Amino acid sequence: MNLCSLRSSSRGNSAVAFTDKTKILVDCGISGKTALCCLADINIAPEELDAIVVTHEHIDHIRGVGVLCRKFNIPVYASEGTWYAMESEIGVIPRECIRVFSDVYFNIGDIEVHPFDIPHDAAEPCGYAFFSSGGSAAVATDMGCIDDGVLDALHGCETVLLEANHDANMLAMGNYPQHLKNRIKSRRGHLANDDAGKAAAELVKRGTKHILLGHLSRENNYPPLAYNTVKNILESEDIHLGRDVILDVAKKDDVSYCRDCAVV
Ligand SMILES: [Zn+2]
Ligand SMILES: [Zn+2]
């Protein structure tokens, strides 16, 4: 089971979960063209994609969904609420490509997909955990907090792409208008670095071996700050990098992605 972040920031997000047989794009918040470049970099042809699963309707997650779906006839999976909220944004897509899930899990090829609720200010947002005979991985971003439901959904996932959106002090001192600051730091907004650190410690105690920090704010965070904040919290819990867990930061907008690949 592999999880590779193609792009990850508050500007645009996309990742791919894949086995030898099955390839699932998680969100496409970048242009279709950029997504194709990113996929080519990891030797995945768009024709190989079995599905696009969408977490929620915010533009940094759906920008290229319609284009890719129409061009390559790729089924798009989303919760009912997300479908309603994003339909007008992604344009007309073939009827047979619309997949609204309501079950607790479903199968795409040899991957079992478990959507789970996330606390975020969207219509019906979710994260996804992926299980195959070769391991497990999950995408858990766009969360104002980590609740028990999220922790349960991620229990034992070997690789987790975890949100570390902002540094609380940078957000407080920054130029954003107050209403936006309030939205970001609310329980349905985005996860701060120190909350990501606490979540990371819980995940490691529950079996996670590789944490990839993502969805970093361009204005209110720096990769080394996110990394070190999470590292310090892990070490304060006697969790050591290398020995107990591998910690990485997903690249934001660079053109090289290989170091983002988290292979289980
Ligand atoms: Zn969002
Ligand atoms: Zn987002």
Side-chain angles (χ1 to χ4, degrees):
M1 186 79 219
N2 306 289
L3 179 67
C4 183
S5 167
L6 303 180
R7 289 281 173 97
S8 189
S9 80
S10 42
R11 278 194 171 181
N13 297 275
S14 189
V16 58
F18 61 101
T19 63
D20 288 345
K21 291 181 182 162
T22 307
K23 289 159 183 64
I24 300 173
L25 196 66
V26 187
D27 290 332
C28 189
I30 50 184
S31 71
K33 192 177 169 190
T34 304
L36 296 185
C37 292
C38 298
L39 287 166
D41 259 23
I42 55 170
N43 297 316
I44 293 178
E47 294 82 3
E48 292 181 85
L49 292 176
D50 296 283
I52 302 171
V53 297
V54 178
T55 59
H56 64 297
E57 69 275 16
H58 290 162
I59 193 65
D60 58 317
H61 297 263
I62 64 165
R63 189 174 280 111
V65 168
V67 172
L68 282 192
C69 168
R70 283 187 289 275
K71 196 165 168 66
F72 301 103
N73 219 43
I74 305 166
V76 178
Y77 291 72
S79 66
E80 190 175 4
T82 296
W83 262 114
Y84 280 125
M86 75 176 179
E87 247 173 343
S88 61
E89 301 292 327
I90 64 173
V92 178
I93 66 169
R95 202 178 178 82
E96 70 270 17
C97 289
I98 299 174
R99 306 287 165 85
V100 182
F101 61 77
S102 52
D103 295 332
V104 284
Y105 68 87
F106 52 92
N107 290 289
I108 300 172
D110 63 350
I111 298 180
E112 197 172 280
V113 182
H114 291 227
F116 57 91
D117 293 339
I118 51 172
H120 191 52
D121 56 355
E124 192 183 356
C126 66
Y128 291 97
F130 303 97
F131 298 88
S132 76
S133 58
S136 53
V139 173
T141 64
D142 298 74
M143 305 173 292
C145 61
I146 296 271
D147 57 24
D148 287 346
V150 172
L151 284 177
D152 287 348
L154 298 177
H155 192 114
C157 271
E158 292 159 55
T159 297
V160 177
L161 173 57
L162 176 69
E163 175 165 42
N165 179 259
H166 60 276
D167 174 78
N169 290 326
M170 285 182 73
L171 178 66
M173 303 302 288
N175 291 327
Y176 279 5
Q178 193 58 44
H179 70 89
L180 185 54
K181 291 181 181 181
N182 292 344
R183 187 217 145 214
I184 291 169
K185 67 185 184 184
S186 80
R187 290 180 67 78
R188 282 163 53 84
H190 290 281
L191 208 62
N193 291 341
D194 50 355
D195 289 331
K198 291 171 199 159
E202 277 304 313
L203 293 178
V204 174
K205 290 172 194 169
R206 295 166 185 236
T208 296
K209 297 292 181 197
H210 193 161
I211 292 172
L212 189 60
L213 302 175
H215 210 299
L216 271 66
S217 165
R218 295 177 67 87
E219 290 78 17
N220 299 309
N221 212 350
Y222 297 105
L225 181 57
Y227 181 92
N228 286 320
T229 303
V230 172
K231 174 177 179 276
N232 290 340
I233 292 172
L234 289 172
E235 289 179 348
S236 74
E237 300 257 352
D238 203 26
I239 295 167
H240 293 275
L241 304 192
R243 185 189 74 184
D244 303 315
V245 65
I246 296 167
L247 181 68
D248 285 314
V249 180
K251 281 196 176 172
K252 293 179 179 177
D253 304 316
D254 298 347
V255 208
S256 166
Y257 312 100
C258 292
R259 282 197 302 153
D260 291 353
C261 289
V263 179
V264 185

